[in-house]
Amino acid sequence: MNLPKDHNHAPLTYKDAGVDIEAGDSLVEQIKPLAKSTQRPGVMGGLGGFGALFDLKAAGFTDPILVSGTDGVGTKLRLAIDAAIHDTVGIDLVAMCVNDIVVQGAEPLFFLDYYATGRLDVAAGRAVVAGIAEGCRQAGCALTGGETAEMPGMYGDGDYDLAGFAVGAAERGQLLPRPDIAAGDVLLGVASVGLHSNGFSLVRRIVERSGLALDAPAPFAGDTTLARALLAPTRIYVRSMLAAIRTTGAIKGLAHITGGGLPGNVPRMLPDGLRATLDATTWAPPPVFGWLRDVGNVPTDDMLQTFNSGLGMVVAVAAADVERVTACLTDAGEAVSTVGVVETAPQTEADCIVANADALWRR
């Protein structure tokens, strides 16, 4: 049906509706060199195609199993947007995906991102993607593509959201956790750098209660602002964990400590009938956790189930292999502590017990 034109109103364009195609094209041109800096064996083609191609044979695999992971950054983005600090959340985005892949014994190979915003700010978008590229370089995986969506009416001015998707591979028969995790195995804790990317809905409430401005000195880290300290990017454990897996052959299981904390994540690598018993006096969490506990008067159980409590990874090994796995991880730059043991679990008991938990917040 042909409708008459309305001559009483000016013509409407896509840009008038809030979508700036030229800004999107400008961002793509600016991020092409960032993506190129992440190239690795196996990548076929570059940005601009309708899909990303990857040659597993060229990457050195002979009989691979694909392992994939997807995640976001959560409400840590709200803090980053409010503080106008956009250069670290991209690292978080990569970390949350690739750390979940490496705990299954797989090597992350390539990464794609989804960046959605109400109005595209090219400078902020480039800073975000620069962080994604840095995360990919740290993980040894390639940034092979992504999507930028300008969606006026869906997001407030200046707001954006992120999602990521990573694909990795492991040779058949080398996946983790191994089926031989048993009572008597030892649990090693690998230090986190801080909050990583979980619990920020609670963190932001505690910041409000503190009355501190985001650009005020951090009470628990006086050499930086509160925002920068809270936004410290999630540590990427890929290179160190792969080195330990491949060099020692002794790692039985890995747990990435994210939402749900130690009680919610350590049991995910354990067979039925086993539990983890951790002793909280054996490691020292970064001081940000004590500050949050004190200002928020947060109960111990909430602290344990919301945050990583200072451990980004937990590693299961046989008692005879503790020394050489610890040495390998330490040589790779990780801070490692012996934090617990695997035990036979009565059916009625929890799969992960954190003994002396209150000691974590009294240091």
Side-chain angles (χ1 to χ4, degrees):
M1 180 173 64
N2 294 321
L3 297 176
K5 293 182 179 180
D6 186 348
H7 295 286
N8 296 320
H9 293 87
L12 278 175
T13 67
Y14 206 12
K15 189 171 184 178
D16 293 329
V19 179
D20 190 340
I21 294 176
E22 291 181 358
D25 291 342
S26 174
L27 178 60
V28 170
E29 289 304 310
Q30 292 189 38
I31 66 179
K32 280 183 178 179
L34 297 174
K36 187 176 181 180
S37 73
T38 70
Q39 293 293 290
R40 54 154 295 153
V43 174
M44 301 173 62
L47 293 183
F50 288 99
L53 306 178
F54 195 92
D55 184 346
L56 287 168
K57 187 175 181 180
F61 289 89
T62 57
D63 187 17
I65 299 293
L66 292 179
V67 179
S68 61
T70 186
D71 212 333
V73 183
T75 58
K76 189 174 187 178
L77 287 180
R78 182 73 265 162
L79 185 62
I81 293 166
D82 290 346
I85 297 174
H86 309 293
D87 58 345
T88 57
V89 288
I91 300 174
D92 289 300
L93 182 66
V94 176
M96 295 302 287
C97 296
V98 298
N99 285 343
D100 278 353
I101 286 176
V102 77
V103 297
Q104 295 175 91
E107 176 185 351
L109 301 174
F110 61 91
F111 187 87
L112 297 98
D113 70 279
Y114 178 77
Y115 173 67
T117 184
R119 181 181 60 81
L120 185 59
D121 180 328
V122 174
R126 187 192 183 283
V128 169
V129 178
I132 294 171
E134 172 59 23
C136 286
R137 287 191 294 270
Q138 290 183 24
C141 69
L143 176 58
T144 56
E147 175 68 12
T148 300
E150 195 170 18
M151 302 166 66
M154 287 290 291
Y155 298 92
D157 191 28
D159 287 352
Y160 58 85
D161 198 7
L162 295 174
F165 179 78
V167 173
E171 296 291 359
R172 192 179 302 273
Q174 296 182 2
L175 291 170
L176 297 177
R178 286 171 19 188
D180 62 338
I181 296 179
D185 286 342
V186 174
L187 299 172
L188 304 177
V190 184
S192 69
V193 297
L195 299 172
H196 288 184
S197 296
N198 297 102
F200 275 84
S201 294
L202 177 57
V203 169
R204 291 185 297 110
R205 291 288 301 274
I206 294 172
V207 170
E208 290 176 7
R209 177 177 289 188
S210 76
L212 293 173
L214 292 177
D215 59 356
F220 50 88
D223 58 341
T224 190
T225 66
L226 179 61
R228 279 286 181 190
L230 295 174
L231 289 169
T234 306
R235 186 165 180 82
I236 293 176
Y237 297 97
V238 170
R239 294 184 187 273
S240 59
M241 293 302 151
L242 286 177
I245 291 167
R246 293 168 175 173
T247 300
T248 69
I251 290 182
K252 293 187 174 187
L254 294 169
H256 180 205
I257 311 305
T258 55
L262 292 163
N265 288 285
V266 174
R268 296 169 68 179
M269 68 172 167
L270 299 178
D272 291 341
L274 296 178
R275 74 179 181 203
T277 298
L278 308 178
D279 181 355
T281 65
T282 58
W283 77 90
V288 60
F289 295 104
W291 182 78
L292 291 169
R293 162 68 184 254
D294 292 344
V295 175
N297 193 26
V298 183
T300 293
D301 284 349
D302 281 76
M303 290 293 295
L304 289 174
Q305 294 172 6
T306 304
F307 304 116
N308 63 55
S309 300
L311 299 180
M313 286 274 179
V314 173
V315 186
V317 299
D321 295 318
V322 167
E323 187 173 340
R324 62 195 185 100
V325 172
T326 298
C328 185
L329 290 171
T330 302
D331 289 346
E334 305 294 355
V336 184
S337 306
T338 298
V339 298
V341 295
V342 177
E343 299 175 333
T344 301
Q347 292 267 334
T348 57
E349 294 196 23
D351 291 324
C352 181
I353 295 172
V354 183
N356 305 307
D358 285 338
L360 289 169
W361 329 120
R362 295 173 181 165
R363 297 171 183 175

